[in-house]
Amino acid sequence: MGTYDVAVFGAYGHTGRFVVEELRARGLGVLAVGRDEAKLRALPWADLEIRQASVDDPASLDRAFAGADAVINAAGPFAGTAAPVIEAALRAGVPYLDVAAELEANMDTFARFGDRAASATVIPAMAFFGGLGDLMVTAAMGDWTSADEAHIAYGLSSWHPTEGTRAAGKVSRERRSGKRIRFSGGRIEHRDDALPESDWDFPAPLGTRAVLGEFSMADVVTVPSHLDIPEVVTYMTTNAAREVVTPETPAPPADGPSAQTFVVDVVVRSGGEERRIVAQGQDIYAITAPLVVEAVQRVLDGRTKATGVVSAGEVFDAADFLAALAPRVTVTG
């Protein structure tokens, strides 16, 4: 296994710091890139190579990514950062991965770069939302070539959003004119009716919880990008859905993982058969770091199955990838 240098755009953000820490823990070199040089220099690692760059200045991105073996974009809102950072990664000839949970940004990436990046590696949504769910659905599918429906239920003990989450949510709401999104009948729909409410029977110890159905996350983009499933539905525990949109909800702690716990319960159905897989862990922001860093390590080591704009389940061995997340993510099923 070789030594690699990974450029992290948005290295001083909440998730970006987790990503830098994970890269360093694995012995990978880090090029800390961001728009604010003072914040870059305030990072707690004195030996980091600091490179200031802005999405409004393509030449600065080219300088920042010079010598990098891959680029991880952790700077949202991704509606504004994904395209210019992908462009710069393509100019540098290196793989690009991001942690975008914004549906519109992920749809843009597939639509805009699907043809142009056919021989490159571009992996959007390599995060808790989008990446983990896609890996789980893919693993649950197993030998099935198609399924009737996939259900991804998120059970969060709480959801204290970061400033980036709030900013990204605002951009998404503006882009869809306040409407909501669902994936049904093999296509994205924009709707203005209320989210359906129901109960979901999570495995122990969570148990039955109230959820909002069609609380669409990035999974409705990543899963259908490579799997033949016409109905992909995501759910969110009602308490977490309320907290994330409440202005008074505090941000997560600045240092280290929060006490937040999660259960992701995936059910895939085909005909009369049903397959289920469950993942459990702590802190949806912190867990994004091992997800995206495991992904970049596999890309750099050549452990991939596809090129182009691809989602996690398409480009990696899903079951093997999920196993590699232990013990921070416990997967059963």
Side-chain angles (χ1 to χ4, degrees):
M1 189 175 294
T3 300
Y4 304 110
D5 291 321
V6 179
V8 181
F9 186 68
Y12 52 74
H14 186 79
T15 302
R17 292 195 301 273
F18 284 124
V19 172
V20 171
E21 185 175 25
E22 182 73 18
L23 287 165
R24 289 171 60 85
R26 294 184 181 222
L28 296 169
V30 178
L31 308 176
V33 184
R35 293 160 283 198
D36 190 322
E37 186 173 352
K39 289 183 179 180
L40 288 170
R41 297 197 178 281
L43 286 167
W45 303 283
D47 58 338
L48 281 182
E49 184 169 347
I50 302 300
R51 298 184 178 183
Q52 190 278 333
S54 168
V55 294
D56 300 321
D57 183 356
S60 72
L61 291 173
D62 292 343
R63 291 191 296 270
F65 298 159
D69 295 294
V71 172
I72 294 175
N73 183 5
F78 293 89
T81 67
V85 177
I86 292 171
E87 296 275 11
L90 292 177
R91 290 194 298 272
V94 298
Y96 166 94
L97 304 89
D98 70 36
V99 296
E102 299 163 45
L103 280 74
E104 294 82 7
N106 291 316
M107 288 188 285
D108 288 349
T109 296
F110 278 98
R112 181 170 178 175
F113 296 97
D115 294 331
R116 292 181 51 202
S119 60
T121 300
V122 174
I123 309 177
M126 194 60 243
F128 178 78
F129 294 117
L132 180 60
D134 182 49
L135 288 164
M136 292 175 69
V137 173
T138 305
M141 287 281 288
D143 58 353
W144 289 354
T145 58
S146 65
D148 298 323
E149 53 194 52
H151 300 267
I152 306 166
Y154 290 100
L156 307 187
S157 62
S158 63
W159 192 352
H160 292 186
T162 64
E163 181 181 342
T165 295
R166 291 193 185 279
K170 182 175 184 293
V171 169
S172 287
R173 287 191 296 273
E174 290 173 350
R175 288 192 64 182
R176 65 180 76 149
S177 301
K179 294 186 177 183
R180 65 180 183 86
I181 283 178
R182 76 170 183 177
F183 183 84
S184 180
R187 62 185 180 87
I188 291 287
E189 296 180 348
H190 290 79
R191 300 175 62 93
D192 54 14
D193 56 339
L195 293 171
E197 300 182 37
S198 61
D199 290 333
W200 185 276
D201 294 325
F202 289 95
L206 202 60
T208 302
R209 297 296 176 96
V211 296
L212 292 178
E214 299 176 6
F215 191 95
S216 295
M217 305 304 293
D219 314 272
V220 303
V221 178
T222 57
V223 171
S225 73
H226 69 106
L227 294 175
D228 182 10
I229 308 177
E231 302 290 327
V232 179
V233 187
T234 57
Y235 306 77
M236 180 64 64
T237 42
T238 303
N239 66 295
R242 288 175 177 163
E243 285 182 330
V244 76
V245 297
T246 300
E248 294 76 24
T249 302
D255 298 317
S258 72
Q260 176 202 51
T261 59
F262 65 81
V263 175
V264 185
D265 190 11
V266 169
V267 176
V268 180
R269 297 191 179 104
S270 179
E273 293 188 63
E274 179 177 291
R275 292 177 176 177
R276 190 174 195 175
I277 186 170
V278 179
Q280 301 184 58
Q282 179 181 347
D283 193 332
I284 65 174
Y285 296 109
I287 209 63
T288 285
L291 276 160
V292 72
V293 174
E294 177 68 23
V296 80
Q297 183 79 70
R298 288 176 181 242
V299 169
L300 292 171
D301 291 344
R303 290 179 287 161
T304 57
K305 302 189 297 179
T307 59
V309 181
V310 288
S311 56
E314 181 179 10
V315 70
F316 302 119
D317 180 323
D320 184 68
F321 193 111
L322 291 171
L325 298 175
R328 285 177 287 187
V329 179
T330 302
V331 180
T332 55

